[in-house]
């Protein structure tokens, strides 16, 4: 039996899986984790269970905006690290690890997530970066944001980063779920491969590490669907998180309309041939943003509730 705990975010979600101290207040001011290295702020928490089921890893963006030099500076001169915690019980986290994954040419390292690749026997960790030329050390050029990836077996040592998706325009906030032999990837895309600008794009591939560059033809990630934002008549959507219902008959994708209603649940019975709708009535926690929904056992849920009572 499983039960959903979600989403784990930097904004208030009482009875959290992890609640992270950041630019916004947490549940009653009671942060479970705080970030001391790097920029001393974290965003975009993502939680993954190990394939053995006995360990959990929490990844987060090393970013603090409040009191700093603003978003443009953060994209050009932001952190090249990700923040990592691990836990065996979802209650007691390890010491924080401030791990560098990006090269000197990167201007930021945002929204890290991970998917375990059985073929590689390793986790594929992916994030968004601006990349600048080596002869532009001050990162003054205007560049498009790319999706990057690296592999790791322990979230301590990572391979050299590689471009994962570069359309020639901005691509950010990837999340991946596996269905059968396919990996399905959601990301926010500026419309180069889809028919709608600044929208959510759904792609699939049998290889998690397949790379698409501006000149790739045919593309290695097949376009499945786009225009989710446009068809729903919504504003900019980002930070998608996808998960299957406990009954197994429906998929949910929470997406953040950052300029409007916040997290909004999109649902479909199939990802390969989606028919999206938004429930007429839904109840989300206040101000959740860019988090994770993770299936847990009844025993795990009871332990979390005992450790973090309302």
């Amino acid at each position: 039996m499983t039960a959903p705990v979600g989403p784990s975010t930097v904004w208030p979600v009482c009875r959290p899986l992890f609640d992270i101290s950041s630019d916004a207040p947490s549940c009653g001011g009671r942060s479970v984790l705080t970030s001391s290295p790097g920029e001393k702020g974290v965003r975009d928490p993502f939680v993954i269970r190990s394939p053995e089921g006995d360990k959990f890893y929490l990844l987060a963006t090393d970013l603090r905006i409040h009191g700093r030099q603003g978003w443009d500076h953060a994209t050009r001169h932001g952190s090249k690290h990700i923040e990592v915690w691990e836990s065996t019980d979802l209650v007691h986290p390890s010491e924080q690890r401030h791990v560098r994954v990006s090269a000197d040419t990167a201007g930021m390292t945002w929204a890290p997530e991970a998917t375990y690749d059985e073929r590689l026997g390793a986790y594929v960790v992916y994030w968004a970066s601006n990349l600048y030329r080596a002869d532009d050390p001050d990162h003054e050029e205007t560049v498009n944001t790319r999706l990057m990836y690296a592999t790791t077996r322990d979230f301590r040592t990572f391979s050299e980063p590689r471009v994962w998706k570069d359309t020639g325009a901005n691509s950010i906030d990837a999340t991946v779920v596996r269905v059968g032999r396919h990996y399905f990837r959601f990301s926010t895309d500026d419309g180069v491969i889809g028919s709608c600008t600044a929208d959510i794009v759904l792609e699939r591939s049998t290889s998690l590490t397949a790379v698409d560059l501006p000149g790739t033809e045919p593309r290695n990630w097949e376009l499945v669907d786009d225009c989710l934002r446009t068809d729903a008549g919504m504003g900019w959507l980002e930070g998608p998180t996808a998960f299957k219902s406990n009954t197994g008959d429906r998929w949910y994708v929470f997406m953040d309309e950052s300029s409007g209603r916040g997290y909004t649940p999109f649902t479909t019975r199939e990802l390969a041939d989606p028919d999206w709708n938004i429930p007429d009535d839904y109840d989300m926690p206040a101000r959740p943003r860019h988090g994770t929904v993770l299936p847990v056992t009844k025993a795990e849920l009871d332990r979390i509730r005992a450790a973090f009572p309302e």
Side-chain angles (χ1 to χ4, degrees), residues 3-45:
V5 174
S8 166
T9 74
V10 293
W11 279 270
V13 179
C14 285
R15 214 181 266 158
L17 181 142
F18 287 111
D19 187 19
I20 301 176
S21 176
S22 183
D23 296 341
S26 60
C27 295
R30 303 186 309 275
S31 294
V32 175
L33 300 174
T34 59
S35 185
S36 55
E39 298 198 3
K40 297 180 173 56
V42 283
R43 305 172 77 98
D44 315 321

Side-chain angles (χ1 to χ4, degrees), residues 87 124 171 225 237 279 302:
S87 176
V124 177
S171 296
D225 199 14
L237 292 176
D302 289 345

Side-chain angles (χ1 to χ4, degrees), residues 5 9 17 59 83 110 119 123 147 154 188 195 202 255 291:
V5 174
T9 74
L17 181 142
L59 315 181
E83 306 309 318
W110 283 3
R119 179 179 58 88
Y123 299 91
L147 292 175
D154 56 9
T188 300
S195 56
L202 172 60
M255 306 185 203

